[in-house]
Amino acid sequence: MTRVSREFGDTMQKEAVPAVSADVIFASSRFPNYKIGANNQIVDAKDDPKVLTMKEVVARETALLLEQQKRLSVRDLASKFEKGLAAAAKLSEEARLREAASLEKHVLLKKLRDALESLKGRVAGRNKDDVEEAIAMVEALAVQLTQREGELIQEKAEVKKLANFLKQASEDAKKLVDEERAFARAEIENARAAVQRVEEALQEQEQMSRASGKQDLEELMKEVQEARRIKMLHQPSKVMDMEHELRALRIQLAEKSKHSLLLQKELARSKRVEENLSHLYELDGAETLGSYLRIKPCSDIAPELSKCSIQWYRITSEGGKKELISGASKSVYAPEPFDVGRILQAEIMYDGQLIILTTTDAIDPAAGLGNYVEALVRKHDVEFNVVVTQMNGADHPSESIHVLHVGKMRMKLCKGKTTIAKEYYSSSMQLCGVRGGGNAAAQALFWQAKKGLSVVLAFESERDRNAAIMLARRFAFDCNIMLAGPEDRASLGT
């Protein structure tokens, strides 16, 4: 392109270029930045990357609205749609202004081309070529402007469509807001009605409570008086007095029982005298579990017991069946739990003469022993402190403390950490009270753990000895084993 020299401007006549119409309105105060490309094509300069086109702005706003639609409330959504509607109207207005500016550009380009055509006829040579090149540039600019107008028309149609969409969405949002407001008003009215009903119910309840308040107060006073009366009846001092009275009654009952036993013995003695029977011996001792019975001579002519043959028997109180107590051949015998509820009989043989002594009544159980055993049954293993007095029929000289374990499945005898015997319940095991042994017989028992191993154990008290026997027999019975003394199994029918 040939540059127009400065002298050309001086040679041009001012009258040759017609003045631009005063009614032309320029869209901006500066000329657009154009560049001439190949084949004299006008190319737009690169836009600033920070400046977005109207189409991109509309697309971005639409995407943001659609993204936020789900997480906005109804009221916020309506507000957003109203803002979008306003933005669409603004974009429509900008499109209208751009359309007017484009029209003005067309007028300006036409006037510029007319001026260049007029100038072309007046110049010649190189200047004419320059003018023709300028005319070509103006025509290319007109073509470019026409293309931009087409894009503008398309953008205008899109903006109009978006405006219609936003308008419809705004109307829908307003409808939703109105519906939600109506629903909220209905809920508020229902809540107010419920509150009013509750208030009415409370007022009615308060009136009823005031009416029945005096009656409730009188009933409450009666209950308080009754509670005071019950409390006075259960004062500790009165309870202690009742306990003292019960203790005194027990003592009197025991004395009466002893006196009754003496009277029964005197009555039996008098009957024997009347029947001309020789009365040489009698049974001495309490006929109850936990004590012992002793054969006592009551005449000077009675033979010594060491020269007599003695055997103890059990007699059932119902059928009168006599059962031999194996090993009970001493003058002293301590009843065991099997003897409770049965009559004991001692037969004394001397020089072919048989003397029979029987208890006046069946053997009584020990007081509180049953409850004590029931409490021990709940335990898995019960321990008793014992002393081994005999082992395998021979006296045991040591008097050290051993521990007898009575468990649900087995019995065990230990000394410290050493185990002397540990056997499960079986048919070869035997357990019973010691049948003889003097005054300590009531605290000792005989235990045959297995064949070839038997011991005699002395307990701390008669209660522990009888509890150990009852507990072991209870656990053995749960294992389908009847635990008894020597030769007692046949007599028990097991």
Side-chain angles (χ1 to χ4, degrees):
M1 178 178 178
T2 305
R3 182 176 181 181
V4 180
S5 64
R6 186 173 183 180
E7 291 77 13
F8 171 76
D10 295 336
T11 58
M12 289 180 63
Q13 296 181 2
K14 296 181 179 180
E15 293 80 10
V17 180
V20 180
S21 177
D23 58 351
V24 176
I25 301 174
F26 291 93
S28 61
S29 59
R30 64 182 180 86
F31 199 82
N33 295 327
Y34 295 111
K35 288 185 179 181
I36 304 300
N39 297 327
N40 295 325
Q41 294 293 327
I42 298 176
V43 181
D44 292 339
K46 292 185 177 179
D47 297 333
D48 189 356
K50 296 183 180 179
V51 179
L52 301 175
T53 63
M54 183 174 59
K55 184 177 180 181
E56 293 175 348
V57 172
V58 172
R60 186 179 63 178
E61 291 295 331
T62 304
L64 290 175
L65 287 175
L66 293 176
E67 182 181 1
Q68 295 178 358
Q69 182 179 4
K70 292 183 179 180
R71 52 192 178 88
L72 291 177
S73 64
V74 177
R75 184 174 298 175
D76 294 339
L77 187 61
S79 177
K80 274 289 184 180
F81 277 118
E82 289 177 357
K83 290 180 181 179
L85 186 61
K90 185 177 179 181
L91 291 175
S92 180
E93 182 65 22
E94 290 180 357
R96 188 182 64 78
L97 293 176
R98 288 189 179 186
E99 184 179 359
S102 176
L103 181 60
E104 292 174 357
K105 289 178 182 179
H106 276 287
V107 174
L108 180 60
L109 289 175
K110 186 177 184 303
K111 289 182 179 182
L112 181 58
R113 188 177 181 281
D114 293 341
L116 290 174
E117 288 289 342
S118 176
L119 182 61
K120 179 181 177 183
R122 297 179 183 183
V123 297
R126 292 178 58 187
N127 293 332
K128 187 176 182 179
D129 295 336
D130 293 338
V131 172
E132 289 179 354
E133 186 176 355
I135 291 172
M137 290 176 60
V138 170
E139 291 178 352
L141 184 60
V143 173
Q144 186 72 22
L145 185 60
T146 303
Q147 293 177 356
R148 294 295 299 273
E149 285 181 355
E151 294 178 358
L152 184 61
I153 291 172
Q154 186 178 0
E155 291 178 359
K156 182 179 178 181
E158 292 179 357
V159 169
K160 186 176 180 180
K161 186 185 296 183
L162 177 62
N164 294 332
F165 171 73
L166 293 175
K167 184 178 179 181
Q168 184 64 31
S170 178
E171 292 177 357
D172 295 340
K174 288 181 179 179
K175 290 181 181 179
L176 290 175
V177 170
D178 293 338
E179 291 178 358
E180 291 295 329
R181 286 177 179 173
F183 181 74
R185 291 193 186 98
E187 291 294 329
I188 292 172
E189 291 298 329
N190 293 335
R192 288 177 179 174
V195 170
Q196 186 176 0
R197 289 196 297 270
V198 171
E199 290 179 353
E200 292 176 356
L202 290 175
Q203 292 177 0
E204 184 179 357
Q205 183 67 24
E206 185 178 358
Q207 293 177 359
M208 293 177 63
S209 62
R210 288 178 181 176
S212 60
K214 294 182 179 180
Q215 183 178 0
D216 294 341
L217 182 61
E218 292 177 356
E219 293 180 357
L220 182 61
M221 291 178 63
K222 290 180 180 179
E223 291 180 359
V224 171
Q225 292 177 358
E226 182 68 17
R228 288 177 178 175
R229 186 183 67 82
I230 294 174
K231 183 178 179 181
M232 292 296 294
L233 290 176
H234 292 82
Q235 286 182 351
S237 59
K238 293 186 177 181
V239 173
M240 292 177 64
D241 293 341
M242 294 174 65
E243 289 180 354
H244 290 314
E245 292 179 0
L246 289 174
R247 189 178 297 111
L249 289 174
R250 291 193 186 100
I251 294 173
Q252 293 179 4
L253 183 61
E255 293 178 353
K256 294 291 185 181
S257 178
K258 291 180 180 179
H259 184 66
S260 175
L261 183 60
L262 292 176
L263 290 177
Q264 289 178 1
K265 289 182 178 181
E266 290 293 336
L267 180 61
R269 185 183 302 173
S270 61
K271 286 182 178 180
R272 290 172 182 173
V273 171
E274 290 177 357
E275 294 175 0
N276 297 323
L277 296 176
S278 59
H279 184 64
L280 301 178
Y281 303 97
E282 65 177 357
L283 293 178
D284 184 28
E287 299 175 357
T288 181
L289 185 63
S291 62
Y292 62 91
L293 298 175
R294 180 188 296 274
I295 300 176
K296 179 182 177 181
C298 57
S299 175
D300 296 335
I301 60 174
E304 294 182 4
L305 291 174
S306 59
K307 299 178 181 180
C308 300
S309 174
I310 302 174
Q311 181 61 52
W312 292 81
Y313 296 90
R314 298 188 187 97
I315 299 177
T316 58
S317 57
E318 297 178 356
K321 182 180 179 181
K322 186 170 68 172
E323 300 173 357
L324 174 69
I325 303 175
S326 178
S329 58
K330 305 292 182 180
S331 60
V332 176
Y333 177 74
E336 64 154 73
F338 271 164
D339 299 327
V340 175
R342 301 182 181 186
I343 297 175
L344 295 181
Q345 176 178 306
E347 295 183 356
I348 305 171
M349 182 69 68
Y350 178 74
D351 289 340
Q353 296 181 359
L354 179 62
I355 301 175
I356 300 175
L357 302 177
T358 59
T359 56
T360 57
D361 203 351
I363 302 298
D364 295 329
L369 181 60
N371 295 332
Y372 178 59
V373 173
E374 288 298 328
L376 295 179
V377 167
R378 301 187 183 97
K379 298 181 180 180
H380 183 75
D381 185 84
V382 184
E383 299 180 358
F384 297 95
N385 293 329
V386 296
V387 175
V388 179
T389 59
Q390 289 184 5
M391 182 174 290
N392 293 329
D395 293 339
H396 196 268
S398 176
E399 295 183 358
S400 58
I401 301 298
H402 293 62
V403 179
L404 177 66
H405 296 264
V406 179
K408 292 185 177 295
M409 302 295 296
R410 65 185 181 184
M411 293 179 63
K412 181 172 65 173
L413 179 64
C414 299
K415 180 182 179 183
K417 295 183 179 181
T418 305
T419 301
I420 299 175
K422 182 174 68 173
E423 295 293 331
Y424 288 93
Y425 298 114
S426 62
S427 58
S428 61
M429 183 179 294
Q430 296 179 358
L431 183 71
C432 63
V434 170
R435 296 168 179 178
N439 300 339
Q443 300 180 11
L445 63 77
F446 169 80
W447 178 40
Q448 178 179 307
K450 60 182 178 179
K451 293 182 178 180
L453 179 59
S454 61
V455 291
V456 174
L457 306 177
F459 287 74
E460 295 178 343
S461 63
E462 295 86 355
R463 183 187 187 188
D464 287 348
R465 173 254 201 178
N466 294 320
I469 295 175
M470 295 175 65
L471 193 64
R473 288 174 177 171
R474 174 76 171 270
F475 290 154
F477 183 77
D478 294 339
C479 299
N480 294 325
I481 300 296
M482 183 61 69
L483 202 57
E487 300 182 11
D488 286 345
R489 205 172 303 275
S491 62
L492 292 173
T494 59

